[in-house]
Every structure is written in structure tokens, then in C-alpha cells.
Amino acid sequence: MHRLEKFQIFLAKILVRQKIPRLCLIAASILAAFFSGGCGKKADKGLEHLTYRLKWLFNISVVGDLYTDVHGIFAEQGLRVTIKEGGPERDAIKELELDHAQFGVASADQVIRAVSKGSPVVVIAQLFQANPLQWIYRPQKICIEAPEDLKGKTIGITYGGNDETIMRALLSKYKIMNNEVRFFSVRYDYTLFYEGEVDLWPIYQNAEGVVIAEKLRKAGEEVSFFNPDAFGIRFVSNSVITTQRMLKERPGTIQKFISALLQGWREALDPGNKEKSVATIHQFDRDTPIKIIRQQLEATRMLMKPSPEIQIGRIDVEAWKQTERIMLEQKLISGPVSVERILRPYIKSRSNFIMLPNPE
Amino acid sequence: MLHRRIYQFVIVYLIGMTFLFLIKYVLNLSDYVIPSPGEIWHTTCHVFARYLFDVMDTLSVAIIGHILSICLATIVGIIGRLTTWVGSFIKVAAYNIQAYPIVAVAPIIFILLGDGLSSRLLIAAMICYFPLLLSFIGILSEPVGHIEHFYEVTKRMSWHLQVKIRAFENMNKLTTVIVGSATLAIVGTIVAEFIAASAGIGYSIRIALYQSDLAKILVALFLIGICTSLYLTCLEWLGYLTRKRWEV
């Protein structure tokens, strides 16, 4: 018998014994039901409750996270995970420290900044193997074959955002002076790119990139993406994080979580499960047409698993070190943090996931 | 008046900071979540001059927006005081437009006007204009019977005399409303800068948020508080001077 029902019977016995009117019994039952909250869900019985804070809103970039939850892969591992949307004002690292969440997604620059300020965060998987943050442009209007071609162009950047960091790192690497390009402070709307006033606009290639490319194609215009990764700027994007306390006190939970999550991602990106993944995303992101989601899924697969030998969730230690170097050069952190010491990669063994020794 | 407002603000700010530090040290949070006093001091030394300039920029836009909305509210309030169809239409329109959240309207303004001064000015004016307008209509449409009766009987009443009488009799209320709406003008400007502009303290706060740098935001809040106090004191002083002049 369920806990709530037991409690209601217990209340009833007391009230009847003491001849308290039936109205009081009803009121007490309602109160008991109210305060017992989620206890009534039988499916949750015996599951370990966790909260997972994403970096951004529900869209294709979180297909694996949602797939894992919707298709019961977390539950198979004995977990009940509440997946919370991220957004510009959300910060998973802060929520982990405040214990509002046990797992989260953050970009490498967020993680490195947090570590430089003493945050006890650890990285347990790297989701995107190639950074989805790229610049969209019209090849009919400008030709970009090498970074030097950026000279004289108007480049959109979000001041303070990681696209600014990436672009400045690229310009610095190729000895392009800031006065040789024109920076434009970008906003959420793409009007100035559509109007052709800005040549290159920062965009998440697998998400908005597909939508905007489709819109421009309909208008008879072709688009291309300028990818700094292709020119040696390896700036790590979304990664799965937790805290050192979790690592110390609940290693089994981490193992179960990461095992489920990476299995979910593998299944979501498996071409055989394409329609299931598309349906999963469409369930949460109703505004994006199914046709677009299909294209977005293809683009996401290329970023998560650029080649067959790369395992989903692999932590690219060299890319993390380069991200730290870039941030140091741009004085975004006050000193080196030796980021490799907080990387805790998991690999799949024959039957389960095991944590590899720290790369340090 | 000025020093009292400033030290009262400083007390409020210090209470807020103490509360933050209490949370930080009780919950053992890192500097990433809540910066340490040392980090705040270091950040202050680093950004104070730049942020002061940004706050002055924001304040100047807010003051212009505020003046514009006072002028507009006065004109519309004078028309709206009439018990005609136009008067009631203006009231209904003001109530309805005030109900729209500015964050929903702002992106449209930025698309139409760009991210320059005009957008910031318009949003600042919009945020403080409607509360001003409603108060102005209320004040200017309320007859001051014992004075107005004399001018009406002697047939010397004109519209501008009526407005003068009502404004004079409600000068305290008008000053309070204008001072109250000044904070809205500042908030409006900061919101506009935060959403899409490329200058001002709201823009700097947005960058600090991207970098999860709470120390910078705390410095910005301190400067905003000080400058707002200065502006409010100036307005109260102007209200006091006007009252004195009219009494003479």
C-alpha cells in the first residue's frame, strides 16, 4: 500500500476514534495529499531523484538528454531525473554549488572561470566534440577560404560572450589586427544579417544555423558556415558537470547517471532511431517543423561524433588545455587553473562505465 | 537632504552585501557564486571609472526620457482631463498600453529604430510615461471647487487658469509622482540597454552576466544607487523651489 494511503487511513482511524466530524477527515486528507507532494507517483518508487540543469532551452542541442529521459533510460538505471531548461540567465555551476541540481551542462569557458574562482566543479563528459558556435555568411557576397579573408569584413560578435573570445583568439592566431575587421554587437534578431549589413553572424550551426539557412534558401540565397575549429581554434563547448562532493560521496550515482546519459545520446544519434529522436524533440520544441528538426539532427550528429572512432562523451583534454590558454591570453582568468585536474572522463567497459584516472 | 539620501542608500547597500557574505560563508560558496570582499574591491579598482562613465551615460538618457515623458504627460493630461470622448479614450489607451511588458515591446522598437540613442530614450520614456500620465490625468481632472467656482461665476475661467489652479493645489502630489517616475525612467533605460543597446550601464551589466561576474554587477548596482539618489534629490529640490516660488 502506498505511503499516502497508509497515512490517510491512519488519520481516519484517529478521527473516527475521537468522533471528529467527517468534514475534518476530508480536510485532513486534502492537507495530507497536498503536503505529500509527489509521493503519489507509483512509477517513482525506489528511484533516486536527481536534477539536471541544461545550458540552453529545449532544442536539438539537448536531444540526447531528453531522449534519455523520455525513453526511460534514466529509470532503467534507477534514476528519476528532472531535466530543467537553461537559458541566458541560468548558470548550472551556481546551481550545483547551491545544491539546486546535482548535474548540469556548462561550456568550457564557464567551467574554467568557475574553477579559477574556487568552484568545486568537475567535468564528467564532453558533449560536443566540435564547437557548434560558427559564423554564417553568404558565399555569393563574400568568399572566406582562410582567416585572412576576414580582413575588411563586418563580423558579428556578442560582447562578453564566448563567440567574442573565439573570434579574438582566431584573429590573434592569424595576426589579424582588430582594426582590420569591423566588429558588430549582435542581438537576438537577425535583421541586420538578413539586410546584408553584417557579413558574418555568430550562430549555433546545428540549431539556428539550419533554420536561417532554410529561410535564405527559400529566398534564393545560399549560405556557408565559417568554422574556427577548422583553423585550429579548439574551444570546447557543452560538457556535463557535477561537483567534487558528488564525486566523493555518490560515485555510484555519477556512474549510473553518466552511463544512462551517454547511452541515451548514442541511441538518439543512431540513424536507426532518427524518427524517435525527431519525435522526442518535437514533443518539447513544437515551434520547429519536423523537416527542420531532421536536418538539425544530422548537423548535431556531425558535431557530437565527427568520426566513427570518437566515442560520444569523450573529453578532449588537449582542446580543454587550449581553451584555458585562450582565456589566459585574453585575460579572462587571472592565472592558470590546470584545467586537466578537474576532468574526470568515463569510458564504457564491457558491461558498465568506469572512470578513467585523472589525465593530470 | 542629499547627504541623508546617500547615507541611507549606503546603509541599504551594506545590509544587502552583509546578507550576501553571510550566505557565502555559511554555505561555503566559492567566489564564482558570490565574490569575496577582496574580489569586489579588486573589481571596483579595475572598473570603477569605466562604470561611472557608463552610469552617467545611462543617467543622461534617463533624464532626457523623463523630461520628455513629463512634457508629454502634461499635454495629454490637459487634454485627458476633459470629460469628453477624447478624454476617456486617452485614459483607456493609457491603461491598456501600460499593461504591456516593455521586454515584449522592446525588440520591436530595436528592429525599427536600431540600437542607438533613440531606442533607449523611447523605452525610458515609455516606462515612466504611463504612470505619470495616469497621475496627471487624475490630478488635472479633479476640480478645486472652492477656487474654480469664483472664476467661473465671474466668467474669468480659462483652460490654462484651470490647469494652473489644479496643479498648484496638488503640487505635493505632482512632485511625488515625478520623483517616483524618475526611478522608472532609470530602470527603463537600464532595461533597454540590457536588451539590445551597445552603451550604458545596462549593457555593461549584460556583459558581466555573460561572464558570470557578480562582482562587476555589485559595483554597477552601487553606482546606479548613488546616481539615482543624486537625481532624486535634485528633483525633490526643484519641487521645493517651485512650491516656494508659487507660494510667493
Side-chain angles (χ1 to χ4, degrees):
Chain A
M1 190 181 291
H2 196 267
R3 250 191 310 177
L4 174 63
E5 289 162 16
K6 279 183 188 170
F7 182 60
Q8 282 168 333
I9 290 168
F10 170 71
L11 268 178
K13 278 179 185 169
I14 293 173
L15 295 170
V16 168
R17 206 176 294 153
Q18 295 189 1
K19 296 183 181 170
I20 295 173
R22 192 175 289 174
L23 201 64
C24 292
L25 174 67
I26 295 166
S29 295
I30 292 169
L31 277 175
F34 179 74
F35 286 112
S36 61
C39 299
K41 293 175 186 170
K42 284 185 182 173
D44 291 353
K45 208 174 174 183
L47 297 182
E48 189 178 356
H49 288 225
L50 295 169
T51 301
Y52 180 37
R53 170 66 78 182
L54 300 176
K55 187 171 183 284
W56 197 247
L57 307 173
F58 289 151
N59 70 2
I60 196 68
S61 292
V62 300
V63 59
D65 304 309
L66 294 174
Y67 189 100
T68 314
D69 187 41
V70 169
H71 296 283
I73 303 172
F74 279 132
E76 280 169 20
Q77 290 285 347
L79 304 174
R80 179 177 172 253
V81 180
T82 305
I83 300 183
K84 291 188 172 175
E85 272 187 303
E89 71 288 355
R90 307 261 186 235
D91 188 329
I93 300 173
K94 287 180 181 168
E95 297 208 7
L96 291 184
E97 268 204 63
L98 291 163
D99 211 22
H100 295 159
Q102 289 71 46
F103 295 94
V105 176
S107 56
D109 60 318
Q110 281 180 309
V111 171
I112 292 169
R113 264 196 194 98
V115 171
S116 78
K117 292 184 177 181
S119 182
V121 68
V122 286
V123 177
I124 53 176
Q126 179 181 325
L127 294 176
F128 285 108
Q129 298 299 320
N131 200 326
L133 186 56
Q134 298 176 13
W135 273 260
I136 191 170
Y137 67 94
R138 293 176 173 89
Q140 290 151 327
K141 192 181 165 203
I142 55 169
C143 174
I144 310 272
E145 283 171 356
E148 288 77 11
D149 295 331
L150 292 173
K151 287 180 184 173
K153 306 290 185 297
T154 305
I155 304 168
I157 54 167
T158 316
Y159 282 104
N162 52 14
D163 54 328
E164 183 192 5
T165 312
I166 292 170
M167 185 47 77
R168 289 195 191 280
L170 183 90
L171 297 180
S172 164
K173 183 174 178 176
Y174 288 89
K175 311 264 182 290
I176 300 169
M177 305 300 286
N178 280 345
N179 59 9
E180 290 180 281
V181 295
R182 282 185 300 273
F183 286 126
F184 180 85
S185 174
V186 303
R187 304 187 296 266
Y188 294 120
D189 73 278
Y190 299 94
T191 313
L192 291 171
F193 178 70
Y194 289 138
E195 287 172 354
E197 284 187 40
V198 179
D199 297 313
L200 296 108
W201 195 276
I203 209 161
Y204 281 87
Q205 187 253 329
N206 62 324
E208 304 109 300
V210 174
V211 178
I212 290 171
E214 184 67 17
K215 271 188 189 172
L216 288 173
R217 249 172 233 135
K218 275 183 187 164
E221 289 189 277
E222 284 302 310
V223 295
S224 285
F225 293 94
F226 174 72
N227 181 10
D229 204 299
F231 299 100
I233 302 296
R234 293 163 71 200
F235 197 89
V236 179
S237 179
N238 295 6
S239 296
V240 184
I241 53 167
T242 187
T243 56
Q244 281 170 6
R245 202 180 71 188
M246 280 288 290
L247 206 66
K248 198 175 159 190
E249 293 173 5
R250 296 164 73 180
T253 305
I254 298 183
Q255 193 153 326
K256 283 192 258 178
F257 179 85
I258 203 70
S259 167
L261 188 73
L262 296 184
Q263 188 190 331
W265 268 102
R266 267 196 309 277
E267 287 185 20
L269 297 178
D270 183 344
N273 293 328
K274 186 177 173 182
E275 290 310 313
K276 267 169 90 178
S277 302
V278 170
T280 304
I281 282 297
H282 194 59
Q283 195 179 322
F284 293 90
D285 179 10
R286 295 238 163 241
D287 295 336
T288 308
I290 294 223
K291 186 188 156 199
I292 295 285
I293 296 177
R294 284 197 190 105
Q295 292 175 41
Q296 288 178 327
L297 186 66
E298 294 301 319
T300 305
R301 187 180 296 122
M302 295 304 294
L303 297 166
M304 290 286 297
K305 201 168 165 52
S307 60
E309 68 277 5
I310 293 178
Q311 269 197 34
I312 286 175
R314 176 195 72 146
I315 296 180
D316 185 346
V317 181
E318 282 312 308
W320 275 87
K321 285 181 178 174
Q322 196 191 81
T323 307
E324 184 188 341
R325 272 199 304 278
I326 289 170
M327 292 182 72
L328 256 176
E329 280 163 15
Q330 295 188 25
K331 297 189 172 58
L332 296 173
I333 47 174
S334 51
V337 296
S338 307
V339 72
E340 58 276 14
R341 75 191 158 87
I342 56 120
L343 306 177
R344 296 284 191 278
Y346 278 73
I347 58 151
K348 192 170 175 17
S349 72
R350 203 170 296 167
S351 59
N352 213 335
F353 271 76
I354 51 163
M355 191 176 80
L356 284 180
N358 187 281
E360 193 181 19
Chain B
M1 199 190 285
L2 175 65
H3 74 279
R4 197 182 61 206
R5 218 178 238 285
I6 299 277
Y7 80 68
Q8 281 172 346
F9 165 72
V10 171
I11 289 170
V12 171
Y13 186 82
L14 288 179
I15 290 171
M17 294 294 282
T18 311
F19 181 66
L20 271 184
F21 292 138
L22 209 66
I23 294 173
K24 176 182 168 66
Y25 293 112
V26 168
L27 299 179
N28 193 24
L29 300 173
S30 72
D31 286 358
Y32 182 72
V33 181
I34 298 174
S36 61
E39 196 191 330
I40 294 174
W41 173 248
H42 177 77
T43 307
T44 306
C45 297
H46 187 62
V47 299
F48 189 85
R50 182 158 56 89
Y51 276 20
L52 185 63
F53 182 76
D54 287 342
V55 173
M56 297 314 284
D57 185 4
T58 301
L59 192 64
S60 58
V61 176
I63 291 172
I64 299 169
H66 194 207
I67 292 169
L68 279 178
S69 43
I70 291 170
C71 296
L72 204 61
T74 309
I75 296 166
V76 181
I78 289 169
I79 303 166
R81 83 189 196 288
L82 304 169
T83 49
T84 57
W85 184 86
V86 179
S88 74
F89 175 79
I90 287 170
K91 279 181 205 171
V92 171
Y95 276 113
N96 280 305
I97 296 171
Q98 197 189 347
Y100 290 117
I102 199 69
V103 283
V105 182
I108 302 169
I109 295 172
F110 281 109
I111 288 170
L112 296 174
L113 299 178
D115 61 356
L117 178 69
S118 50
S119 300
R120 291 160 71 200
L121 207 55
L122 181 63
I123 291 172
M126 273 180 78
I127 284 191
C128 67
Y129 168 66
F130 292 109
L132 268 174
L133 177 62
L134 292 174
S135 304
F136 275 38
I137 289 177
I139 289 167
L140 296 177
S141 57
E142 195 179 316
V144 186
H146 63 284
I147 302 174
E148 287 181 25
H149 176 72
F150 169 76
Y151 290 101
E152 273 160 13
V153 168
T154 55
K155 297 200 186 318
R156 284 159 60 196
M157 179 61 92
S158 61
W159 70 267
H160 58 268
L161 185 59
Q162 190 186 48
V163 170
K164 268 187 179 176
I165 292 167
R166 291 177 186 182
F168 176 76
E169 286 299 310
N170 292 290
M171 188 47 76
N172 276 338
K173 277 188 199 168
L174 282 174
T175 309
T176 310
V177 167
I178 288 171
V179 172
S181 63
T183 52
L184 289 177
I186 294 169
V187 169
T189 315
I190 293 171
V191 168
E193 291 163 354
F194 189 85
I195 295 171
S198 49
I201 195 69
Y203 176 65
S204 298
I205 290 175
R206 191 180 69 159
I207 292 176
L209 270 179
Y210 274 132
Q211 298 169 342
S212 296
D213 199 335
L214 188 61
K216 280 183 182 167
I217 295 167
L218 291 171
V219 176
L221 291 179
F222 180 77
L223 288 169
I224 290 168
I226 293 286
C227 290
T228 306
S229 302
L230 279 172
Y231 181 46
L232 296 185
T233 309
C234 287
L235 286 174
E236 282 172 354
W237 181 66
L238 280 173
Y240 169 75
L241 285 184
T242 313
R243 268 199 310 275
K244 268 190 87 174
R245 203 176 150 198
W246 281 28
E247 278 164 12
V248 173

